[in-house]
Amino acid sequence: MQVRERCVGVDGAERGWFEGCQLPGTSRQLVPVVGDSQPATANPVTAALATIAYRASPWYELETRGGILAENSFDIVVVGAGPGGYVAAIKAAQLGFQTACVEEQFLGGVCLNIGCIPTKALLESAAMISRLGHAKEFGIDVGEVKTDLAQAVKRSREVSDRMTRGIAFLFKKYKVTHIEGRGRLAGKGNLQVTNGGKNQEVKAKHIILATGSRPRDLPFLKVDHDRVWDSTDALLAETLPKTLAIVGAGAIGCEFADVYAAFGTKVTIIEALDRILPLEDKDCSAVVEKSFKKRGMDVFTGARLEKADIGSKGVAISFKTSKGEEKEMKVDRVLSAIGRAPNVEDIGLEDAGVELTDQGFIGIDAQMRTNVEGIYAIGDVAGPPLLAHKGSHEGIACVEAIKGDRHAGVDYENIPNCTYCHPEVASVGLTEEQAKEKGLEIEVGMFPWTANGRALTAGETEGFVKIVRDKKYSEVIGAHIVGPHATELIAEFVVGRHLETTVEEMDRAMHPHPTLSEAVAEASLAALGHPLHI
């Protein structure tokens, strides 16, 4: 008698014991065995009867979809449960793949636990502080406003925990096996998972690497999680520093500048490039810088940090301004917000032969495949832009490609950027400067919030909607919003660009009144040279 093998179905439930014999009309040599009786394949007659019974059972449907696999063996294993990894795992299960997700820390990854979600919760607290500061203008006297950073952090953790529990629920709902531990590539189709000093081997036809990224630091400004913070430290701090220097004015730096300034910290921003939010349209950057300075923040752009002396009571920093002036200051804390590095170490890439790009990310093609068959990469570890929604879409495209969809992929020219400070900034496509550098014939339209009724009623009139229009086809080749709910409004442009919508069509689509969305139509008209309300 041949050796029996315990197997499970795509839903993760045990399917019993199967005998290693060929079933007529099936692709695998596995037959269900009941109890301790003799295998159903002992003679041709019982084999034929077993075939009929098997094809009438749930096992046959699973088998024809490749769904019956040995224990600890899966169709797809995703390494990492961030917004790229967990979405890929759920999508794979929905498409009928037996799926597992390996995660060593927490479901939801950086985004849900120590990134996007809790940061936005703190930004909501900051926005509420700002709103209450203007309450009298709206006929409301709330008296003295007292802030409590510890309570705001506590609320942000509650929001994060709820989201994380939601991922666990979705894994259970879609029968995704959650394997706790650190995953490393260990030969073709093999993954070694280490948890608490114990190792287990997991087999998979396809392995998707979604290991994410971590904060970077400077050689002379090492993060010590005390005086020199990374983004996680800034997120979890319950004691408010009196002074905070933020090195780096990208999205992370500007968002934390907003939070800490709102709670009463004296914030100084130091950015090496010529403006804050250097990836955004320069007009948007100018609005945010002006707003930050109005709120009492010091902003130094084109500045080079040269020295940092870290002491027990603070950090003494020296930097050179854009005018060549030497500046020195002592602050309670420094936040290093100079970007993130991919998590490519200690996951078996070198032994597996997986190649990296010149920038240190895992190299992939349009369907997220690495140079090694059966190994894929998505999200931050696969290269910029390092955005949660980009990782999620890569995860979906990767799984769809594995399923056989030859059209699966990501439109990297239509990825929205969002910064959730106040005023908010959002964009998609080319900036005005980039369009000109490409030699495109363009026309630019801008519509200010000061001319929008809904913005006026809300008392939020900083900024504008800006459209960069291609003159040849009148397509929206770039859209940039700074001001109220910019991160929500940008989606209209993303959909429009996906459908290759013209500026005329953006205007002719009726926008309800009074809404912020009317500014989209007005900016479209402005790009054609005839706005109505300015």
Side-chain angles (χ1 to χ4, degrees):
M1 185 181 294
Q2 298 186 44
V3 178
R4 298 179 182 183
E5 184 176 10
R6 188 167 72 86
C7 298
V8 294
V10 292
D11 60 357
E14 187 174 315
R15 297 302 184 196
W17 293 84
F18 290 75
E19 190 68 42
C21 300
Q22 178 68 46
L23 258 181
T26 65
S27 59
R28 289 172 63 86
Q29 298 180 356
L30 294 173
V31 181
V33 179
V34 181
D36 295 322
S37 63
Q38 191 173 359
T41 52
N43 61 65
V45 176
T46 54
L49 293 173
T51 300
I52 295 171
Y54 180 60
R55 286 182 172 176
S57 73
W59 292 307
Y60 181 69
E61 181 187 357
L62 292 168
E63 171 60 25
T64 55
R65 287 158 42 192
I68 294 182
L69 297 167
E71 185 179 20
N72 266 11
S73 183
F74 301 88
D75 293 314
I76 294 177
V77 171
V78 183
V79 182
Y86 86 74
V87 168
I90 291 171
K91 187 66 175 180
Q94 289 176 336
L95 292 179
F97 293 110
Q98 187 171 329
T99 308
C101 187
V102 178
E103 172 56 56
E104 68 172 332
Q105 287 186 293
F106 26 57
L107 295 179
V110 168
C111 177
L112 267 65
N113 292 274
I114 51 173
C116 318
I117 298 301
T119 304
K120 304 311 165 278
L122 288 182
L123 283 160
E124 285 297 327
S125 295
M128 189 168 291
I129 293 170
S130 178
R131 296 279 288 177
L132 289 173
H134 296 280
K136 279 189 176 182
E137 299 172 21
F138 291 81
I140 305 166
D141 189 350
V142 295
E144 182 184 0
V145 177
K146 296 182 179 180
T147 62
D148 185 347
L149 180 63
Q151 174 57 33
V153 170
K154 178 184 176 184
R155 176 180 175 273
S156 76
R157 302 316 310 157
E158 291 169 352
V159 173
S160 178
D161 291 344
R162 180 171 180 175
M163 294 289 291
T164 302
R165 290 195 302 271
I167 303 303
F169 167 79
L170 291 171
F171 272 14
K172 185 175 181 180
K173 176 181 178 180
Y174 292 108
K175 314 301 182 186
V176 174
T177 300
H178 174 206
I179 302 175
E180 295 186 41
R182 183 179 184 85
R184 296 176 182 83
L185 299 173
K188 185 175 176 59
N190 291 316
L191 199 68
Q192 184 184 68
V193 180
T194 304
N195 186 15
K198 296 180 180 180
N199 296 328
Q200 66 171 310
E201 185 177 292
V202 177
K203 294 182 179 296
K205 297 175 184 177
H206 308 276
I207 298 173
I208 302 174
L209 301 174
T211 51
S213 63
R214 64 186 183 279
R216 293 172 53 215
D217 54 15
L218 292 167
F220 58 89
L221 189 66
K222 291 291 185 182
V223 173
D224 64 6
H225 308 294
D226 179 21
R227 292 294 167 181
V228 181
W229 287 350
D230 62 16
S231 56
T232 304
D233 301 315
L235 183 68
L236 300 177
E238 296 185 357
T239 302
L240 193 69
K242 290 183 179 180
T243 53
L244 173 67
I246 299 177
V247 181
I252 294 172
C254 285
E255 289 181 358
F256 278 112
D258 184 287
V259 169
Y260 278 90
F263 276 90
T265 296
K266 174 60 181 177
V267 172
T268 300
I269 298 173
I270 302 170
E271 169 57 51
L273 297 179
D274 62 352
R275 53 194 171 86
I276 66 173
L277 296 176
L279 297 181
E280 296 293 349
D281 187 273
K282 64 181 181 180
D283 291 331
C284 294
S285 298
V287 170
V288 177
E289 182 173 339
K290 181 180 179 181
S291 179
F292 277 13
K293 288 179 176 179
K294 186 177 179 181
R295 291 168 56 186
M297 299 183 223
D298 292 329
V299 180
F300 295 93
T301 56
R304 187 177 66 191
L305 187 66
E306 296 184 327
K307 187 179 179 182
D309 292 324
I310 304 168
S312 60
K313 295 184 179 181
V315 183
I317 59 174
S318 302
F319 62 93
K320 185 176 289 187
T321 70
S322 58
K323 297 179 180 179
E325 300 171 345
E326 298 286 347
K327 287 272 188 181
E328 294 184 358
M329 66 174 61
K330 189 170 184 179
V331 293
D332 292 335
R333 300 284 190 277
V334 175
L335 168 60
S336 178
I338 60 169
R340 301 183 66 84
N343 293 325
V344 295
E345 300 84 4
D346 195 28
I347 56 174
L349 295 179
E350 187 173 340
D351 291 340
V354 175
E355 296 177 352
L356 301 180
T357 66
D358 293 340
Q359 292 75 36
F361 297 95
I362 297 176
I364 59 171
D365 65 10
Q367 294 187 325
M368 318 315 138
R369 296 173 295 195
T370 69
N371 63 300
V372 178
E373 185 181 0
I375 300 177
Y376 311 77
I378 61 173
D380 287 5
V381 77
L386 276 56
L387 299 170
H389 44 281
K390 172 258 195 183
S392 296
H393 275 258
E394 285 184 331
I396 293 168
C398 180
V399 172
E400 289 177 339
I402 292 172
K403 185 69 173 178
D405 183 352
R406 289 178 294 177
H407 301 289
V410 174
D411 182 0
Y412 290 99
E413 302 299 318
N414 200 32
I415 298 176
N417 290 311
C418 295
T419 304
Y420 298 80
C421 61
H422 298 92
E424 289 188 354
V425 182
S427 64
V428 64
L430 301 178
T431 65
E432 180 181 355
E433 191 174 12
Q434 289 169 339
K436 289 177 179 177
E437 288 173 356
K438 286 179 174 288
L440 299 176
E441 286 192 56
I442 62 171
E443 192 165 353
V444 176
M446 295 178 66
F447 188 79
W449 292 114
T450 52
N452 176 267
R454 189 67 186 89
L456 285 165
T457 65
E460 297 186 67
T461 55
E462 290 180 304
F464 51 78
V465 177
K466 177 178 180 177
I467 293 177
V468 182
R469 177 178 76 92
D470 170 40
K471 282 187 177 181
K472 186 175 182 180
Y473 299 110
S474 204
E475 288 184 283
V476 179
I477 60 174
H480 310 274
I481 309 174
V482 56
H485 301 284
T487 58
E488 300 293 337
L489 292 167
I490 197 64
E492 182 172 349
F493 287 110
V494 176
V495 173
R497 281 167 49 82
H498 181 72
L499 299 174
E500 299 182 352
T501 303
T502 65
V503 169
E504 289 85 351
E505 289 169 324
M506 295 290 287
D507 165 57
R508 288 171 184 168
M510 190 179 295
H511 293 76
H513 175 79
T515 63
L516 297 174
S517 69
E518 288 178 286
V520 172
E522 286 280 7
S524 299
L525 285 173
L528 293 168
H530 45 80
L532 287 171
H533 289 92
I534 54 173

